[in-house]
Amino acid sequence: RQVGRLVGWGGAPRWSRPGGVAARLVGTRKPTIEEAREMPRNYYEFPNSVLLTMAANGDHDARQERLTREIMAVDNVSWEEAQPVVAEIAKATHVGISLAVAPFRAVIYGSIAMGLVSFPLCFHLDTALWFNEHFVTAEVAETKDLETWLEVGSWTWNWMEPPLGQISFFLLCLQLARDQNANIGRKSISETLKLRRATNVAAKFPAYNTKIVEDFAETEFNNHE
């Protein structure tokens, strides 16, 4: 089997088949300083074809620049003059957004709070005794069986296990349902919310391409404070 000789790091010989990856790298032209200086560094420097690809992949800044150029083309204005319109569309995207994300924030903070509270409910004796007195009314274990936090956990697990186990199973079922929902091409609740808001924003600016405005509004939703 024929091989070709290459020079590796430090001058050490390396061997590769002719036409292999390493062989093709030998003699590859490196960019010049002039070419490096010409490299686009801002989104407004990218050509339309690159912006379209990046926007299709969900890049928000690319979608914003694409919207800017849509405004420039429709209104016959400069890039700078198009910025107030972009800001106006972004502002329209944020209208009522606090109320829209309130249920999601409630779940986030509620989940964190429940996770933290579960520790003292399981392992802190005074908290466990209070909770048992007001919500469980189970027989309290003997004092010698509540001397350590692990023993407290062993006692409280008699009533903590059913709700924690059931909640875990319920969440597992929800996750399975969501996965199957995605498998048949249906959008999640959050995706549906974003799409609906994006459609409403696009309807407020009918002069511009609906798809371009919707794409921008959909990712702008994630930039709210």
Side-chain angles (χ1 to χ4, degrees), residues 125-158:
L125 180 58
D126 291 339
T127 303
L129 290 173
W130 175 87
F131 188 81
N132 178 62
E133 179 183 355
H134 291 86
F135 300 100
V136 184
T137 67
E139 183 178 353
V140 179
E142 297 183 12
T143 303
K144 64 181 182 66
D145 293 329
L146 299 175
E147 294 177 348
T148 68
W149 62 275
L150 288 176
E151 289 179 328
V152 173
S154 178
W155 169 57
T156 58
W157 197 244
N158 291 316

Side-chain angles (χ1 to χ4, degrees), residues 1 12 17 21 38 57 65 84 90 95 114 126 136 145 152 163 165 170 174 181 191 198 204 220:
R1 192 170 56 175
R17 296 176 58 185
V21 174
E38 293 175 356
N57 290 329
E65 178 60 27
V95 172
M114 291 176 62
D126 291 339
V136 184
D145 293 329
V152 173
F170 177 66
L174 290 180
N181 198 54
E191 291 173 335
K204 297 178 181 178
E220 178 67 20

Side-chain angles (χ1 to χ4, degrees), residues 2-28:
Q2 293 182 340
V3 296
R5 187 176 186 278
L6 301 175
V7 178
W9 292 103
R14 295 172 53 197
W15 298 90
S16 173
R17 296 176 58 185
V21 174
R24 292 196 298 270
L25 291 177
V26 175
T28 301

Side-chain angles (χ1 to χ4, degrees), residues 39-53:
M39 181 187 67
R41 290 173 172 79
N42 298 289
Y43 281 86
Y44 55 75
E45 298 176 343
F46 288 120
N48 292 335
S49 58
V50 174
L51 281 177
L52 287 174
T53 301

Side-chain angles (χ1 to χ4, degrees), residues 83-134:
Q83 296 311 303
V85 182
V86 174
E88 183 181 356
I89 296 176
K91 184 177 180 180
T93 304
H94 293 169
V95 172
I97 200 170
S98 298
L99 182 61
V101 301
F104 299 96
R105 286 179 173 170
V107 172
I108 293 172
Y109 298 137
S111 300
I112 295 174
M114 291 176 62
L116 294 175
V117 168
S118 67
F119 285 97
L121 286 177
C122 283
F123 302 111
H124 186 252
L125 180 58
D126 291 339
T127 303
L129 290 173
W130 175 87
F131 188 81
N132 178 62
E133 179 183 355
H134 291 86

Side-chain angles (χ1 to χ4, degrees), residues 154-213:
S154 178
W155 169 57
T156 58
W157 197 244
N158 291 316
W159 70 74
M160 291 295 292
E161 183 178 16
L164 292 179
Q166 179 58 36
I167 292 173
S168 299
F169 179 72
F170 177 66
L171 293 176
L172 181 63
C173 290
L174 290 180
Q175 182 63 52
L176 177 62
R178 178 174 180 174
D179 290 342
Q180 301 312 309
N181 198 54
N183 287 339
I184 62 176
R186 298 180 61 181
K187 296 183 180 297
S188 65
I189 296 177
S190 59
E191 291 173 335
T192 301
L193 173 63
K194 292 179 183 179
L195 181 59
R196 184 178 302 172
R197 291 182 61 86
T199 301
N200 293 337
V201 171
K204 297 178 181 178
F205 300 89
Y208 310 114
N209 182 273
T210 300
K211 179 61 176 174
I212 293 178
V213 178

